[in-house]
Amino acid sequence: MPPGDRENIVILGSTGSVGRSALDVIEHDGGVRLRAHGLSAHSRLGPLVEQALAFRPRSVACSDPAGAAFVADGLKGSGVEVVSGRDGLARMVGDPAVDRVLTAIVGAAGLEGTWAALEAGKTVALANKETLVLAGPLVMDLARRRGAKIVPVDSEHSAIFQAMAAGRPGEVRRVILTSSGGPFRGKTARELASVTPEQALRHPTWKMGPKISIDSATLMNKALEVIEARWLFGLEPDQIEVVVHPESIVHSMVEFVDGSIVAQLSPPDMKLPIQYAFTYPDRVAGSCPLLDLTRAMSLSFEPPDRDTFPALELGYEVMRRAGTAGAALNAANEAAVGRFLGGEIGFLDIPRACRRALDTHPFDPRPTLDALWRVDAWARLEVGRWKP
Ligand code: NAD
Ligand code: MG
């Protein structure tokens, strides 16, 4: 591939877990197909400066001017442009040279960049699932209007996206999302009452950022993912199922009307779905480990424990209600996870706080984007002052 044909990629949230894996993918490619065209981060800006010096993107974006000044100082003489704020971000992703935008910012804060990328008609490699939980119908509608593709990066959705290619959309009976079960699989509610943030952050099969690690421990991550799947693939709520698969090898499955189930398997490593979203529709050899089927292994499946992990049910409820319910659940969860990590509330209080926010929020079945942001702010405030 000549250099002019390389995919110019913007990585929003490049200092995070997904962002760093994405830069590993680009580094391993060695400049053949992929180029880091833009990077962004929010805090811990030292690593952003180091990334920019190593990958020499055209520009880097910081959330605020103070951060941008710090980064500009570190990049003096490098020729890398430093931008900040909403306009700077929109300019970076809207640059005509940009081909794909990886949205790897955590939380509702990721919506802005995803929105700007879709508005500019870019192909979005979507890691930021909260975008679709908050505003799924509006985001999918924007993508349709702008003719922008969304290629999922979340491993389950990447698996479904890949398996979907085995049939036509009308031939899909249901999708089955797999869940590792998290670090507390098999525990009782009694045992969970006293778990610490440190224990909850220790995921058995994936290495991820703190927020999604806690979400994986409560199974809120799977709740967010069923909502993500609903909007991403245009499925009805009763077409989406969850099964616990502790080995995290089968990343999800699609069942077609004839009863065939098509699955995607690989070792648990985010580099694979990230790379696929960068090269789609092509597949290329990469740096991901291969599954060694000459070694004995077993793959097991069991139903999720919905009583001990009530967060999962919240996801189903939100998926059925739609409207502002996703905004309320997502923001309540972000606030509750923050309080749990800060030692203010217990592990089991996370789904409790979310339940309350969901039940008491001013529900609107057909919200505008502004209305969704109002519910987001309301839920953060409510959970912030909620007393267990
Ligand atoms: P992380 O906490 O490791 O990194 C988050 C990144 O977002 C950092 O670069 C940070 O600077 C940036 N950021 C944080 N707040 C911001 C804000 N207000 N404005 C702008 N930038 C901000 O998170 P992560 O684990 O890499 O996850 C990123 C996203 O990908 C999440 O939505 C998560 O659900 C999703 N995801 C992650 C994994 C994984 O393996 N880590 C897997 C699937 C999906
Ligand atoms: Mg996932």
Side-chain angles (χ1 to χ4, degrees), residues 15 41-53 62 67 70-71 74-75:
T15 55
H42 181 58
S43 51
R44 298 196 326 114
L45 297 172
L48 180 64
V49 171
E50 283 166 31
Q51 289 178 341
L53 290 173
C62 303
F70 170 85
V71 171
L75 293 177

PDB file of all heavy atoms in Angstrom, residues 15 41-53 62 67 70-71 74-75:
ATOM      1  N   THR A  15      -4.594   7.897  25.924  1.00  0.00           N
ATOM      2  CA  THR A  15      -3.784   7.510  27.081  1.00  0.00           C
ATOM      3  C   THR A  15      -4.447   6.407  27.908  1.00  0.00           C
ATOM      4  O   THR A  15      -3.853   5.907  28.860  1.00  0.00           O
ATOM      5  CB  THR A  15      -3.526   8.727  27.997  1.00  0.00           C
ATOM      6  OG1 THR A  15      -4.797   9.295  28.354  1.00  0.00           O
ATOM      7  CG2 THR A  15      -2.679   9.765  27.299  1.00  0.00           C
ATOM      8  N   ALA A  41      -6.459  13.408  25.013  1.00  0.00           N
ATOM      9  CA  ALA A  41      -6.545  12.921  26.396  1.00  0.00           C
ATOM     10  C   ALA A  41      -7.073  14.033  27.279  1.00  0.00           C
ATOM     11  O   ALA A  41      -7.150  15.200  26.874  1.00  0.00           O
ATOM     12  CB  ALA A  41      -5.195  12.436  26.890  1.00  0.00           C
ATOM     13  N   HIS A  42      -7.379  13.651  28.496  1.00  0.00           N
ATOM     14  CA  HIS A  42      -8.082  14.557  29.409  1.00  0.00           C
ATOM     15  C   HIS A  42      -7.167  14.974  30.562  1.00  0.00           C
ATOM     16  O   HIS A  42      -6.954  16.145  30.819  1.00  0.00           O
ATOM     17  CB  HIS A  42      -9.306  13.816  29.931  1.00  0.00           C
ATOM     18  CG  HIS A  42     -10.162  14.607  30.853  1.00  0.00           C
ATOM     19  ND1 HIS A  42     -10.718  15.800  30.482  1.00  0.00           N
ATOM     20  CD2 HIS A  42     -10.569  14.379  32.115  1.00  0.00           C
ATOM     21  CE1 HIS A  42     -11.433  16.274  31.484  1.00  0.00           C
ATOM     22  NE2 HIS A  42     -11.348  15.432  32.494  1.00  0.00           N
ATOM     23  N   SER A  43      -6.651  13.986  31.260  1.00  0.00           N
ATOM     24  CA  SER A  43      -5.760  14.287  32.386  1.00  0.00           C
ATOM     25  C   SER A  43      -4.478  13.477  32.163  1.00  0.00           C
ATOM     26  O   SER A  43      -4.326  12.862  31.122  1.00  0.00           O
ATOM     27  CB  SER A  43      -6.434  13.885  33.697  1.00  0.00           C
ATOM     28  OG  SER A  43      -6.907  12.574  33.605  1.00  0.00           O
ATOM     29  N   ARG A  44      -3.581  13.439  33.120  1.00  0.00           N
ATOM     30  CA  ARG A  44      -2.309  12.722  32.959  1.00  0.00           C
ATOM     31  C   ARG A  44      -1.724  13.037  31.570  1.00  0.00           C
ATOM     32  O   ARG A  44      -1.648  12.185  30.691  1.00  0.00           O
ATOM     33  CB  ARG A  44      -2.499  11.209  33.133  1.00  0.00           C
ATOM     34  CG  ARG A  44      -2.989  10.825  34.520  1.00  0.00           C
ATOM     35  CD  ARG A  44      -2.827   9.354  34.857  1.00  0.00           C
ATOM     36  NE  ARG A  44      -2.994   8.472  33.723  1.00  0.00           N
ATOM     37  CZ  ARG A  44      -2.028   7.731  33.194  1.00  0.00           C
ATOM     38  NH1 ARG A  44      -0.834   7.737  33.712  1.00  0.00           N
ATOM     39  NH2 ARG A  44      -2.255   6.963  32.164  1.00  0.00           N
ATOM     40  N   LEU A  45      -1.352  14.286  31.387  1.00  0.00           N
ATOM     41  CA  LEU A  45      -0.974  14.725  30.039  1.00  0.00           C
ATOM     42  C   LEU A  45       0.484  14.433  29.684  1.00  0.00           C
ATOM     43  O   LEU A  45       0.851  14.509  28.508  1.00  0.00           O
ATOM     44  CB  LEU A  45      -1.299  16.216  29.876  1.00  0.00           C
ATOM     45  CG  LEU A  45      -2.813  16.498  29.986  1.00  0.00           C
ATOM     46  CD1 LEU A  45      -3.101  17.981  30.026  1.00  0.00           C
ATOM     47  CD2 LEU A  45      -3.576  15.837  28.846  1.00  0.00           C
ATOM     48  N   GLY A  46       1.288  14.086  30.673  1.00  0.00           N
ATOM     49  CA  GLY A  46       2.673  13.683  30.385  1.00  0.00           C
ATOM     50  C   GLY A  46       2.712  12.541  29.379  1.00  0.00           C
ATOM     51  O   GLY A  46       3.406  12.626  28.355  1.00  0.00           O
ATOM     52  N   PRO A  47       1.941  11.465  29.637  1.00  0.00           N
ATOM     53  CA  PRO A  47       1.915  10.359  28.668  1.00  0.00           C
ATOM     54  C   PRO A  47       1.436  10.788  27.281  1.00  0.00           C
ATOM     55  O   PRO A  47       1.891  10.246  26.272  1.00  0.00           O
ATOM     56  CB  PRO A  47       0.936   9.356  29.300  1.00  0.00           C
ATOM     57  CG  PRO A  47       1.010   9.627  30.766  1.00  0.00           C
ATOM     58  CD  PRO A  47       1.258  11.103  30.901  1.00  0.00           C
ATOM     59  N   LEU A  48       0.550  11.782  27.220  1.00  0.00           N
ATOM     60  CA  LEU A  48       0.079  12.261  25.910  1.00  0.00           C
ATOM     61  C   LEU A  48       1.238  12.892  25.139  1.00  0.00           C
ATOM     62  O   LEU A  48       1.398  12.660  23.932  1.00  0.00           O
ATOM     63  CB  LEU A  48      -1.070  13.269  26.090  1.00  0.00           C
ATOM     64  CG  LEU A  48      -1.649  13.849  24.799  1.00  0.00           C
ATOM     65  CD1 LEU A  48      -2.308  12.765  23.946  1.00  0.00           C
ATOM     66  CD2 LEU A  48      -2.672  14.960  25.090  1.00  0.00           C
ATOM     67  N   VAL A  49       2.045  13.676  25.846  1.00  0.00           N
ATOM     68  CA  VAL A  49       3.208  14.300  25.205  1.00  0.00           C
ATOM     69  C   VAL A  49       4.150  13.204  24.685  1.00  0.00           C
ATOM     70  O   VAL A  49       4.612  13.248  23.532  1.00  0.00           O
ATOM     71  CB  VAL A  49       3.949  15.227  26.201  1.00  0.00           C
ATOM     72  CG1 VAL A  49       5.268  15.703  25.613  1.00  0.00           C
ATOM     73  CG2 VAL A  49       3.062  16.421  26.573  1.00  0.00           C
ATOM     74  N   GLU A  50       4.396  12.189  25.514  1.00  0.00           N
ATOM     75  CA  GLU A  50       5.283  11.090  25.085  1.00  0.00           C
ATOM     76  C   GLU A  50       4.729  10.376  23.853  1.00  0.00           C
ATOM     77  O   GLU A  50       5.466  10.071  22.913  1.00  0.00           O
ATOM     78  CB  GLU A  50       5.448  10.066  26.214  1.00  0.00           C
ATOM     79  CG  GLU A  50       6.407  10.512  27.303  1.00  0.00           C
ATOM     80  CD  GLU A  50       6.289   9.645  28.547  1.00  0.00           C
ATOM     81  OE1 GLU A  50       5.979   8.446  28.410  1.00  0.00           O
ATOM     82  OE2 GLU A  50       6.498  10.189  29.648  1.00  0.00           O
ATOM     83  N   GLN A  51       3.423  10.125  23.864  1.00  0.00           N
ATOM     84  CA  GLN A  51       2.809   9.459  22.702  1.00  0.00           C
ATOM     85  C   GLN A  51       2.983  10.314  21.443  1.00  0.00           C
ATOM     86  O   GLN A  51       3.315   9.802  20.371  1.00  0.00           O
ATOM     87  CB  GLN A  51       1.312   9.234  22.948  1.00  0.00           C
ATOM     88  CG  GLN A  51       1.011   8.163  23.991  1.00  0.00           C
ATOM     89  CD  GLN A  51      -0.494   8.006  24.231  1.00  0.00           C
ATOM     90  OE1 GLN A  51      -1.291   8.900  23.901  1.00  0.00           O
ATOM     91  NE2 GLN A  51      -0.879   6.883  24.821  1.00  0.00           N
ATOM     92  N   ALA A  52       2.759  11.621  21.598  1.00  0.00           N
ATOM     93  CA  ALA A  52       2.850  12.511  20.435  1.00  0.00           C
ATOM     94  C   ALA A  52       4.285  12.557  19.899  1.00  0.00           C
ATOM     95  O   ALA A  52       4.509  12.598  18.686  1.00  0.00           O
ATOM     96  CB  ALA A  52       2.359  13.908  20.796  1.00  0.00           C
ATOM     97  N   LEU A  53       5.264  12.531  20.811  1.00  0.00           N
ATOM     98  CA  LEU A  53       6.661  12.557  20.357  1.00  0.00           C
ATOM     99  C   LEU A  53       7.016  11.252  19.646  1.00  0.00           C
ATOM    100  O   LEU A  53       7.788  11.234  18.686  1.00  0.00           O
ATOM    101  CB  LEU A  53       7.606  12.796  21.543  1.00  0.00           C
ATOM    102  CG  LEU A  53       7.538  14.219  22.128  1.00  0.00           C
ATOM    103  CD1 LEU A  53       8.378  14.327  23.400  1.00  0.00           C
ATOM    104  CD2 LEU A  53       7.984  15.268  21.090  1.00  0.00           C
ATOM    105  N   CYS A  62      -6.591  18.475  23.815  1.00  0.00           N
ATOM    106  CA  CYS A  62      -6.781  18.380  25.264  1.00  0.00           C
ATOM    107  C   CYS A  62      -8.155  18.964  25.569  1.00  0.00           C
ATOM    108  O   CYS A  62      -8.655  19.800  24.828  1.00  0.00           O
ATOM    109  CB  CYS A  62      -5.745  19.199  26.006  1.00  0.00           C
ATOM    110  SG  CYS A  62      -4.083  18.705  25.592  1.00  0.00           S
ATOM    111  N   GLY A  67      -4.468  22.483  30.033  1.00  0.00           N
ATOM    112  CA  GLY A  67      -3.823  21.225  29.621  1.00  0.00           C
ATOM    113  C   GLY A  67      -3.118  21.405  28.291  1.00  0.00           C
ATOM    114  O   GLY A  67      -1.992  20.921  28.090  1.00  0.00           O
ATOM    115  N   PHE A  70       0.219  23.104  28.653  1.00  0.00           N
ATOM    116  CA  PHE A  70       1.216  22.172  29.172  1.00  0.00           C
ATOM    117  C   PHE A  70       1.738  21.263  28.043  1.00  0.00           C
ATOM    118  O   PHE A  70       2.947  21.069  27.876  1.00  0.00           O
ATOM    119  CB  PHE A  70       0.595  21.325  30.303  1.00  0.00           C
ATOM    120  CG  PHE A  70       1.448  20.176  30.745  1.00  0.00           C
ATOM    121  CD1 PHE A  70       2.451  20.353  31.695  1.00  0.00           C
ATOM    122  CD2 PHE A  70       1.258  18.891  30.213  1.00  0.00           C
ATOM    123  CE1 PHE A  70       3.250  19.282  32.088  1.00  0.00           C
ATOM    124  CE2 PHE A  70       2.043  17.824  30.609  1.00  0.00           C
ATOM    125  CZ  PHE A  70       3.047  18.020  31.554  1.00  0.00           C
ATOM    126  N   VAL A  71       0.805  20.743  27.248  1.00  0.00           N
ATOM    127  CA  VAL A  71       1.175  19.816  26.168  1.00  0.00           C
ATOM    128  C   VAL A  71       1.965  20.563  25.083  1.00  0.00           C
ATOM    129  O   VAL A  71       2.973  20.056  24.568  1.00  0.00           O
ATOM    130  CB  VAL A  71      -0.078  19.124  25.585  1.00  0.00           C
ATOM    131  CG1 VAL A  71       0.256  18.333  24.326  1.00  0.00           C
ATOM    132  CG2 VAL A  71      -0.697  18.200  26.634  1.00  0.00           C
ATOM    133  N   GLY A  74       5.487  20.870  26.032  1.00  0.00           N
ATOM    134  CA  GLY A  74       6.209  19.604  25.851  1.00  0.00           C
ATOM    135  C   GLY A  74       6.472  19.278  24.398  1.00  0.00           C
ATOM    136  O   GLY A  74       7.382  18.509  24.078  1.00  0.00           O
ATOM    137  N   LEU A  75       5.664  19.848  23.495  1.00  0.00           N
ATOM    138  CA  LEU A  75       5.794  19.499  22.072  1.00  0.00           C
ATOM    139  C   LEU A  75       6.427  20.621  21.247  1.00  0.00           C
ATOM    140  O   LEU A  75       6.412  20.578  20.014  1.00  0.00           O
ATOM    141  CB  LEU A  75       4.416  19.152  21.495  1.00  0.00           C
ATOM    142  CG  LEU A  75       3.783  17.863  22.043  1.00  0.00           C
ATOM    143  CD1 LEU A  75       2.391  17.651  21.466  1.00  0.00           C
ATOM    144  CD2 LEU A  75       4.674  16.658  21.727  1.00  0.00           C
TER     145      LEU A  75
END
